[in-house]
């Protein structure tokens, strides 16, 4: 990857459909909330100008990081469910559920690893070293 977007949206596969079966996937997926480091996916140029060339000849190292600022969650089952979102406003997390908004207790957001459906990250750095 040569360019990274300012906002990164990741959709987790939470529903499985086949000819015989339909189910909600509730596997716990731990995702970083403070620093998602994508540096290893940057297509580096080596000293010979080759993209993706010899790692030992890298011209420079680029650090690409993101911070989670929102997550959409699905509660319930396939037959009937509800979507809520968790959003970070400055340093605090809030739960948005239709017209109700509540401040989350520290650590409560991370407890919902099994219901996250869509993750929203904002780029926090793209620095060369």
């Amino acid at each position: 990857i040569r360019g990274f977007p300012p906002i990164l949206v990741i959709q987790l596969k939470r529903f499985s459909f086949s000819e015989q079966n339909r189910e909600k996937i509730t596997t716990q997926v731990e995702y970083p909330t403070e620093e998602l480091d994508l540096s290893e996916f940057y297509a580096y140029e080596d000293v010979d100008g080759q993209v993706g060339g010899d790692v030992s000849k890298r011209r420079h190292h680029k650090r690409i990081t993101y911070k989670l600022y929102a997550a959409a969650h699905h509660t319930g089952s396939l037959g009937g469910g509800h979507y809520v979102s968790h959003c970070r406003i400055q340093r605090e997390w809030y739960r948005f559920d239709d017209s109700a908004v509540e401040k989350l207790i520290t650590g409560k957001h991370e407890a919902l690893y099994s219901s996250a459906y869509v993750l929203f990250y904002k780029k926090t750095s793209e620095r060369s070293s």
Side-chain angles (χ1 to χ4, degrees):
I1 300 173
R2 297 284 292 173
F4 289 81
I7 302 296
L8 178 66
V9 179
I10 299 173
Q11 179 180 347
L12 303 174
K13 182 177 171 91
R14 288 295 186 195
F15 304 101
S16 176
F17 300 96
S18 68
E19 288 181 28
Q20 301 84 14
N21 198 13
R22 296 172 49 149
E23 65 180 335
K24 180 177 175 184
I25 301 169
T26 58
T27 303
Q28 181 168 318
V29 177
E30 292 189 23
Y31 46 87
T33 59
E34 294 303 318
E35 184 177 279
L36 173 63
D37 188 347
L38 298 181
S39 303
E40 68 180 280
F41 300 105
Y42 180 73
Y44 295 95
E45 270 185 26
D46 65 19
V47 292
D48 301 323
Q50 298 295 312
V51 174
D54 186 347
V55 173
S56 66
K57 295 182 177 180
R58 283 186 181 161
R59 185 176 304 192
H60 56 78
H61 178 75
K62 204 165 203 177
R63 184 155 163 77
I64 316 289
T65 58
Y66 286 84
K67 187 174 193 174
L68 186 71
Y69 74 90
H73 297 268
H74 181 267
T75 58
S77 65
L78 271 180
H82 184 66
Y83 289 93
V84 298
S85 63
H86 291 183
C87 299
R88 183 192 313 243
I89 301 175
Q90 296 175 5
R91 294 182 180 173
E92 304 293 336
W93 282 96
Y94 293 85
R95 174 186 162 111
F96 293 82
D97 183 354
D98 295 333
S99 62
V101 177
E102 70 172 305
K103 185 176 175 181
L104 294 176
I105 305 166
T106 304
K108 190 172 179 185
H109 174 76
E110 288 85 353
L112 295 171
Y113 288 137
S114 64
S115 65
Y117 181 59
V118 182
L119 306 174
F120 299 87
Y121 286 91
K122 183 175 182 178
K123 190 177 348 177
T124 54
S125 74
E126 185 167 339
R127 304 185 299 274
S128 296
S129 57

